Amino acid sequence: MPTPVVMPQMGESIAEGTIVRWIKQVGDSVDRDEPLFEISTDKVDAEIPAPAAGVLTEIKVPAGETVAVNEVVATIADPSEVARPAAAPSEAAAATASAQPQADGAGPAQKKVPPTPRANGREAAPPAQAAPAAPTGQDEIRRQRSSPLVRRIAREHNVDISQIHGSGLGGRVTKHDILGYIESGEAARRAAAAPAETAPRAAARAAAPEAGRAAQRPEPRTPAYREGDRVVIEPLSVMRRKIAEHMVMSRRTSAHVHSVFHVNFSTVARIREQKKAEYAELGTKLTYMAFIAKAVIAALRRFPIVNASLDEDNIIYKKDINLGIAVALEGGLIVPVIKHADEKNLLGLSRAIADLAERARSKQLKPEEVQGGTFTITNPGQFGSQFGMPIINQPQVAILGVGTIEKRPVVVDDAIAIRTMAYLTLGYDHRLIDGATGDQFMAEVKHQIENFDISSA
């Protein structure tokens, strides 16, 4: 029997996924667990394996479409069940038409159409098709259905989700919908107009739904190009669009402040040089990131507020330290998480960082491996950046940016010396973390790196 291929459930809160590309095409043979198609969700990008071996006989959902979990997207059949390709639709239709009798309609498949009854000497109009049913309460429920993140944004901005036209599956309101709605200023206009709205105005708005929809459209913006400009236009990828939504939401949510520290990595560089051969024999590469992660863990233990989250009027202190390590991908970025990082030594951190980075680049991460982070480290310095001002990864309250690590001239005891140095930048949410706390945290990270103790690592 043919095996249906369904959109998998890639996490407890994930309701849909977007098919980025089909790795196999109709007619291709596939083995069980061989990558079949690639999807993108709110949490992770992943390659989905085939549920059975056989031949891919049908693709129901093309690349670029978003579908609900458990919806059938393709069919795999046993090779012995695959028949020769069916005739093209136009050929099949022509063959059917030529086989049907033209004169008396006596063919077995032809159905006689009764004469249309007359009314007042004229043929009555054919019965009209039934009009589509009016929207029901279920439609409204589907339209208001949204993720916890969307509902939280709605609460923070006092937005009624039922007033937003959702572009997601079944009218589902997405992050893009609610952020665009807030950006347009419609939420503020509705709130200001509500007390003074008169009955005639309310009746007029109810009678003109199109006007209401037009009011929800974003304000006009300066065009990105003019007619006649030499441009190439490409749609945003699913990953790029989700990154954009998350970054804009984070800037709106957190009061970003940044502190930059110049840190001496000379001791770490010496230890790394001494130990890298030993670590290579153990099957992993000893990088600066493992030392930085170890120093950050020590600082988070001293300053638990930096490992916390803010939930409206409550501070959520996280007992576990789950480090997110940003990994650059082609056309995007993803942040896999090292769970219980505080329980790992330097070797364990080195292995975890290398494993997550490798599987992130090969799209082999599981949804739970990109969730639950409590603090993030990003490393633009690997591309030569001196330092940057990273955006916080919500719902966290801080992120560490690592600049390029290189030898520089510095002043040591009133003399010019060459040392291995780097700038570290802490971006933090000023709603929860004061400048003094942020700087104290960074001073502890600096101390841990400059006085790294390999015996306790």
Side-chain angles (χ1 to χ4, degrees):
M1 289 182 60
T3 302
V5 181
V6 301
M7 174 63 69
Q9 177 87 40
M10 296 297 290
E12 185 178 344
S13 62
I14 296 176
E16 61 191 20
T18 300
I19 296 180
V20 177
R21 67 185 178 102
W22 283 96
I23 300 169
K24 297 289 187 178
Q25 301 299 325
V26 172
D28 289 350
S29 296
V30 296
D31 294 328
R32 182 181 175 86
D33 296 329
E34 183 179 8
L36 185 60
F37 61 102
E38 183 183 329
I39 69 168
S40 181
T41 72
D42 286 343
K43 302 297 183 184
V44 68
D45 287 4
E47 292 180 349
I48 306 304
V55 176
L56 182 62
T57 57
E58 183 182 16
I59 292 178
K60 293 179 177 290
V61 180
E65 293 278 333
T66 300
V67 297
V69 299
N70 297 324
E71 183 170 330
V72 177
V73 298
T75 303
I76 295 175
D78 188 273
S80 62
E81 299 175 350
V82 178
R84 66 179 182 84
S90 57
E91 297 174 0
T96 303
S98 62
Q100 288 180 345
Q102 299 289 327
D104 57 9
Q110 186 165 353
K111 191 174 181 180
K112 285 192 175 182
V113 180
T116 306
R118 295 177 175 270
N120 298 327
R122 297 181 180 178
E123 287 188 352
Q129 292 184 346
T136 64
Q138 281 296 102
D139 296 325
E140 187 66 19
I141 291 172
R142 283 196 298 271
R143 197 161 76 86
Q144 295 186 40
R145 185 175 58 192
S146 56
S147 69
L149 174 61
V150 170
R151 292 195 294 272
R152 181 170 65 81
I153 295 173
R155 287 197 306 271
E156 291 175 355
H157 294 272
N158 196 27
V159 171
D160 181 0
I161 295 179
S162 66
Q163 300 296 325
I164 304 174
H165 178 71
S167 62
L169 190 67
R172 187 168 177 259
V173 176
T174 67
K175 288 185 293 184
H176 179 75
D177 296 330
I178 192 167
L179 292 178
Y181 182 76
I182 296 169
E183 177 84 11
S184 70
E186 178 62 19
R189 287 195 293 272
R190 283 182 180 273
E197 188 177 56
T198 62
R201 285 180 182 174
R205 189 173 65 175
E210 182 59 34
R213 284 194 293 271
Q216 294 180 18
R217 296 177 189 134
E219 297 291 338
R221 298 181 180 180
T222 303
Y225 65 96
R226 297 177 181 177
E227 187 176 352
D229 288 352
R230 292 169 55 84
V231 299
V232 175
I233 301 174
E234 293 182 357
L236 282 176
S237 66
V238 175
M239 174 181 285
R240 189 77 262 160
R241 189 168 65 247
K242 293 182 185 303
I243 291 173
E245 292 171 355
H246 191 68
M247 293 299 96
V248 170
M249 183 271 291
S250 182
R251 293 291 291 185
R252 287 196 178 110
T253 301
S254 296
H256 281 68
V257 178
H258 294 85
S259 292
V260 182
F261 275 58
H262 205 195
V263 180
N264 187 345
F265 276 78
S266 298
T267 298
V268 165
R270 184 177 65 254
I271 295 172
R272 179 171 174 264
E273 190 64 28
Q274 294 169 351
K275 295 286 186 179
K276 66 179 182 181
E278 176 186 334
Y279 276 60
E281 291 179 359
L282 295 172
T284 191
K285 187 177 180 181
L286 182 58
T287 64
Y288 284 113
M289 183 59 72
F291 291 94
I292 296 169
K294 196 70 177 171
V296 165
I297 290 167
L300 290 173
R301 285 173 174 159
R302 280 202 59 191
F303 299 92
I305 191 72
V306 184
N307 196 55
S309 287
L310 189 60
D311 183 20
E312 296 182 349
D313 295 332
N314 299 314
I315 302 174
I316 311 299
Y317 288 95
K318 311 290 181 65
K319 293 185 177 181
D320 296 324
I321 296 177
N322 300 330
L323 281 186
I325 307 293
V327 177
L329 305 176
E330 184 178 352
L333 177 139
I334 197 167
V335 185
V337 177
I338 303 174
K339 300 292 179 65
H340 307 290
D342 50 325
E343 299 176 3
K344 298 182 183 295
N345 58 15
L346 190 65
L347 176 60
L349 287 171
S350 298
R351 285 174 170 165
I353 291 169
D355 172 63
L356 288 175
E358 181 180 352
R359 289 193 292 114
R361 295 187 179 104
S362 61
K363 302 184 186 298
Q364 299 300 316
L365 291 175
K366 300 174 183 176
E368 59 268 21
E369 292 176 318
V370 293
Q371 301 180 38
T374 60
F375 185 92
T376 295
I377 304 174
T378 183
N379 183 20
Q382 63 183 311
F383 305 111
S385 173
Q386 293 293 310
F387 61 85
M389 302 295 171
I391 297 176
I392 296 167
N393 188 13
Q394 299 293 327
Q396 299 165 29
V397 294
I399 182 172
L400 182 74
V402 180
T404 189
I405 301 173
E406 61 185 3
K407 289 186 177 181
R408 297 178 190 145
V410 295
V411 177
V412 179
D413 296 329
D414 294 331
I416 301 296
I418 303 299
R419 296 289 185 268
T420 302
M421 306 293 293
Y423 291 105
L424 300 184
T425 303
L426 181 72
Y428 54 97
D429 191 339
H430 212 348
R431 297 178 304 164
L432 186 60
I433 301 174
D434 293 327
T437 304
D439 288 346
Q440 289 168 358
F441 172 84
M442 284 302 295
E444 179 63 21
V445 172
K446 176 182 171 76
H447 173 79
Q448 291 289 331
I449 291 174
E450 294 183 343
N451 301 275
F452 199 90
D453 183 6
I454 189 63
S455 63
S456 61

